[in-house]
Amino acid sequence: FQTYGFVVVSGILTEEELTISKAEVYEELKSHSPDFDFSKENFDNIDRFVKLFGLIGGGYPVLLPQSILNRQNPNVYLAYHYATGRKHFLSALERYGFMVPTKKCPKIKTIENWLHIDYNPLSGKTSTFGYEPSPLYKELTPQNSLKLQDAYYKGIIALADCPEEVGGFHCVPGFHNFCEEWKKFNSERCESSHYS
């Protein structure tokens, strides 16, 4: 975690928890894309936010029974605890992402050059639902910005394997090691952000 900024942990959820979670995802997807039929791979009829951003229903929080239980799962807590060394966490609300197999459906592709970090490293503001920005944000500048100890942690629970031909989560390994430098070169982008 300290070297790459992420860890991969397998076996977090049981098969039963995975089965229930997948059913919830599918029902949520169908509620936003009634004509979508996963078995027919009819991705033309999928919600536009899935097409553009990979987020179901515009990325609003999903408050379904299993999704809430997953956020409180002792194994999820232990993964964060072992990775960070911290004992206490305040969990955010959950949303669902859906990776569309763009090689099969090339006209459905996440928008290019979309930087999605849910967090403005200059201001400390976050898009995490229900949370206010860091109380420090009014005092932050490119020269006086948040440090790693003030960081928010983000996690993804993959409910199914995402082979390369389908697509999946993409990250920048070690970004936390050059985040300070990135902020200096992108301060205008940070200041003009929705979360500035």
Side-chain angles (χ1 to χ4, degrees):
F1 181 69
Q2 293 299 323
T3 302
Y4 298 108
F6 72 93
V7 292
V8 177
V9 182
S10 61
I12 293 287
L13 300 181
T14 66
E15 285 302 317
E16 181 182 7
E17 290 167 332
L18 286 170
T19 299
I20 297 169
S21 298
K22 290 175 191 177
E24 283 187 352
V25 170
Y26 187 70
E27 289 307 311
E28 185 69 12
L29 184 59
K30 287 287 285 181
S31 74
H32 296 280
S33 304
D35 296 328
F36 173 71
D37 185 346
F38 188 77
S39 64
K40 297 178 181 175
E41 296 185 355
N42 186 14
F43 295 101
D44 290 340
N45 294 322
I46 205 164
D47 180 90
R48 80 175 192 85
F49 272 92
V50 174
K51 289 180 184 179
L52 295 175
F53 305 109
L55 299 172
I56 297 173
Y60 291 103
V62 177
L63 301 174
L64 296 172
Q66 189 61 47
S67 70
I68 293 170
L69 289 173
N70 292 346
R71 301 304 292 164
Q72 303 172 65
N73 187 299
N75 291 333
V76 173
Y77 166 80
L78 286 174
Y80 275 94
H81 171 62
Y82 289 138
T84 67
R86 295 185 178 204
K87 292 183 179 179
H88 303 287
F89 301 94
L90 189 58
S91 179
L93 303 178
E94 184 172 297
R95 57 188 170 183
Y96 286 142
F98 185 84
M99 298 300 134
V100 177
T102 55
K103 287 192 176 180
K104 292 181 183 177
C105 310
K107 61 185 173 181
I108 301 172
K109 186 177 179 183
T110 304
I111 59 173
E112 292 185 19
N113 299 318
W114 178 49
L115 177 66
H116 180 80
I117 56 177
D118 275 339
Y119 174 71
N120 187 322
L122 176 62
S123 70
K125 288 188 176 182
T126 175
S127 64
T128 305
F129 302 105
Y131 292 94
E132 295 296 324
S134 162
L136 304 171
Y137 81 95
K138 291 181 182 173
E139 303 158 20
L140 298 175
T141 66
Q143 295 74 35
N144 177 34
S145 55
L146 287 177
K147 303 293 185 275
L148 183 60
Q149 65 268 21
D150 301 312
Y152 294 86
Y153 301 102
K154 185 172 187 170
I156 293 174
I157 298 176
L159 301 177
D161 288 336
C162 297
E164 187 175 344
E165 63 271 13
V166 170
F169 175 67
H170 180 90
C171 69
V172 181
F175 180 73
H176 63 295
N177 294 319
F178 56 89
C179 186
E180 295 298 315
E181 184 179 3
W182 183 89
K183 283 187 281 190
K184 289 176 186 173
F185 287 105
N186 293 277
S187 59
E188 286 185 23
R189 186 175 190 173
C190 291
E191 289 166 1
S192 64
S193 164
H194 178 68
Y195 303 110
S196 61

